[in-house]
Amino acid sequence: MRVRQSIPELFSTFLRFESDQITSWSTDSRLHRSIQKHLAQMPEETVDRFWVMYWHRCWRKEEASPRQQIAAGHVSAYLQEACYWSVQKIQPKTSSQQFQLADLFQVAIAAVPKILKACDPDERASLKTYASSAFGNVVRDWLRQRREIDLCNHWGLLLKLSRKRLIEALQGLDASTIEQYLTAWKCFELCYLPAKTLGMRQSAAPSAEVWNAIVTQYKKETGEAVSSATLERWLTDCANRVRSQSFPTVSSLNMPRPGQDDGELQDEVIDSRDSLLTELIEQEEQRERQDQRSQLNQVLETAIAEFDVSVQQLLQLYYQQQFTQQQIAKQLEVQQYTVSRKLSKAREALLLKLVRWSQAINPATDPEVIKSMGLVLEEWLQKHYS
């Protein structure tokens, strides 16, 4: 590996792999222009430590902005060697031959934002030292979790889940289906085992008695009667989606191209160098997306403000305090089906506002986009009340 020397190289170039070996450094033109511009403004700063701390602080201050992405890019470039050497130490010790060094490198370097968040630039002696240790932990944890997922059967996996992790795995389904799955999982947890127990990887399938208890609990939670076969299908789908979401199928970039005798998948990856015009277009599109997010927030917040106080309280209990429908019914001294009906009506009213707003922006909105708006609304409500 050629050692990088200059500040522009350190903060704008990335390792390129071929056949799981490093072949060269690839320059990101946008990052190169950025570091050159800053060097012109501060020519006296010629030490890499200054610049890594500078970009670290920029990343912390410029939350959810293009400038934060640039800062993260500069730090990712700077940490390329640290990431490579950390992964190289781990790779020979892994029992799985499925992933090459280049694959584990990508897993590790993707954790740069988390590393920046965890490391205080004013307290740590060196971000590179901290990251070297963190990269190794990221890869080890990733491999451990994959092994854990592979070893668990469906029932053991469902017992180990958190609500947050399951919600993440269910993204892509409509809001009503997500709620059904989450309620089914909760009932399974309550009836199958009083408390989660470590080490339960190969848990037995629920007995007929337990399935009856799950069915009864589900009816208490929702007021709806479903069969044990339906609940089993929902829970099985939950487990499958968690496996797919946690560890999607990964193909090494060094694998042969499908249907061809020579060449690798990596050969088809284009080393693009964005022009200034492309960068300006991206910035404009980013501003448009930010404006649309602001409009969306205003539309939905206004709609919620127009609800009756009782409905607003209901939404707060459900999304902010994460009460179940049964707990809400008990607190408000109403029937559970009343809570379910009011929640559904509130979501329908908000969804109608969302659809109308979208069609006002783009009258030719794709029907598939409209179908996915239920999920968009559910994500917005969870974030709004978090």
Side-chain angles (χ1 to χ4, degrees):
M1 182 195 311
R2 180 178 63 82
V3 178
R4 297 179 295 176
Q5 300 291 341
S6 68
I7 296 298
E9 265 198 315
L10 286 170
F11 290 93
S12 68
T13 58
F14 296 83
L15 287 172
R16 183 175 179 83
F17 289 85
E18 289 184 10
S19 301
D20 211 35
Q21 299 294 324
I22 296 173
T23 58
S24 61
W25 290 98
S26 178
T27 302
D28 183 297
S29 55
R30 183 173 60 168
L31 294 178
H32 190 263
R33 289 195 299 270
S34 171
I35 191 63
Q36 290 283 30
K37 181 180 72 174
H38 284 79
L39 281 169
Q41 295 171 351
M42 294 179 279
E44 70 281 2
E45 301 297 348
T46 58
V47 179
D48 60 333
R49 175 170 168 75
F50 168 83
W51 288 108
V52 74
M53 293 182 67
Y54 174 83
W55 293 118
H56 192 173
R57 291 193 178 96
C58 285
W59 183 89
R60 285 177 171 266
K61 294 177 182 177
E62 304 290 339
E63 185 175 356
S65 70
R67 185 172 170 80
Q68 186 186 52
Q69 295 176 6
I70 290 289
H74 283 305
V75 178
S76 293
Y78 178 74
L79 294 175
Q80 292 287 293
E81 292 100 338
C83 184
Y84 174 80
W85 294 119
S86 295
V87 172
Q88 192 189 51
K89 291 178 182 178
I90 295 173
Q91 202 260 350
K93 301 177 183 178
T94 60
S95 58
S96 173
Q97 301 299 317
Q98 182 179 359
F99 301 105
Q100 297 186 347
L101 186 145
D103 302 314
L104 299 181
F105 177 88
Q106 294 302 324
V107 170
I109 204 66
V112 165
K114 292 183 179 179
I115 292 172
L116 288 174
K117 185 176 181 179
C119 180
D120 188 334
D122 295 321
E123 293 183 3
R124 301 282 179 181
S126 168
L127 174 64
K128 184 177 288 187
T129 301
Y130 177 79
S132 295
S133 175
F135 285 136
N137 292 336
V138 166
V139 173
R140 280 188 288 268
D141 188 56
W142 188 84
L143 291 169
R144 179 191 61 76
Q145 288 187 42
R146 183 171 186 87
R147 176 172 162 76
E148 187 70 25
I149 291 289
D150 289 340
L151 288 175
C152 284
N153 65 7
H154 285 344
W155 314 115
L157 177 59
L158 290 170
L159 288 172
K160 291 175 177 290
L161 287 179
S162 66
R163 177 183 172 87
K164 179 180 178 182
R165 188 175 180 188
L166 180 55
I167 289 175
E168 291 174 350
L170 296 178
Q171 298 308 301
L173 299 174
D174 60 80
S176 61
T177 301
I178 290 177
E179 184 171 352
Q180 288 175 334
Y181 280 23
L182 288 173
T183 306
W185 169 74
K186 179 185 176 185
C187 295
F188 165 76
E189 275 204 316
L190 289 173
C191 300
Y192 186 89
L193 203 65
K196 295 183 179 180
T197 304
L198 296 175
M200 298 196 66
R201 291 172 173 171
Q202 299 297 321
S203 301
S207 63
E209 181 181 358
V210 173
W211 277 123
N212 289 335
I214 296 173
V215 168
T216 301
Q217 184 65 32
Y218 187 88
K219 188 172 182 180
K220 286 182 181 180
E221 292 280 343
T222 66
E224 301 175 1
V226 297
S227 67
S228 60
T230 298
L231 289 171
E232 183 175 5
R233 176 167 55 82
W234 290 351
L235 290 169
T236 300
D237 195 22
C238 285
N240 287 330
R241 288 177 178 274
V242 169
R243 293 182 195 278
S244 298
Q245 187 267 346
S246 299
F247 303 104
T249 302
V250 177
S251 295
S252 170
L253 291 177
N254 300 120
M255 291 178 62
R257 288 183 290 187
Q260 299 188 30
D261 296 330
D262 58 357
E264 300 175 346
L265 289 177
Q266 184 170 250
D267 297 336
E268 298 179 359
V269 178
I270 299 173
D271 183 15
S272 61
R273 296 174 179 263
D274 299 332
S275 66
L276 181 57
L277 177 60
T278 301
E279 184 175 349
L280 292 173
I281 291 173
E282 289 177 351
Q283 291 176 357
E284 182 62 29
E285 290 176 347
Q286 178 72 17
R287 283 192 291 269
E288 288 180 3
R289 287 193 292 270
Q290 290 175 346
D291 290 341
Q292 289 182 1
R293 280 196 293 267
S294 298
Q295 293 175 22
L296 170 63
N297 290 337
Q298 185 174 0
V299 167
L300 294 178
E301 287 173 357
T302 301
I304 290 175
E306 294 173 353
F307 285 154
D308 292 340
V309 175
S310 60
V311 178
Q312 294 183 31
Q313 182 184 13
L314 191 65
L315 291 171
Q316 289 175 344
L317 290 172
Y318 188 78
Y319 287 102
Q320 189 173 59
Q321 300 186 36
Q322 296 188 347
F323 279 21
T324 64
Q325 293 184 13
Q326 188 176 21
Q327 290 172 326
I328 295 173
K330 183 176 181 180
Q331 176 157 331
L332 300 182
E333 298 181 347
V334 297
Q335 295 295 322
Q336 187 274 331
Y337 65 80
T338 301
V339 174
S340 179
R341 186 176 66 251
K342 285 188 175 183
L343 275 173
S344 296
K345 287 186 176 181
R347 291 195 194 97
E348 289 173 3
L350 292 172
L351 185 58
L352 181 60
K353 293 279 189 181
L354 184 59
V355 171
R356 287 177 175 172
W357 168 76
S358 177
Q359 291 178 331
I361 295 175
N362 181 15
T365 301
D366 192 315
E368 293 300 320
V369 174
I370 294 177
K371 288 182 183 179
S372 68
M373 285 186 181
L375 179 59
V376 173
L377 175 62
E378 191 68 17
E379 291 177 347
W380 185 90
L381 286 167
Q382 292 174 8
K383 184 176 181 180
H384 177 70
Y385 284 103
S386 62

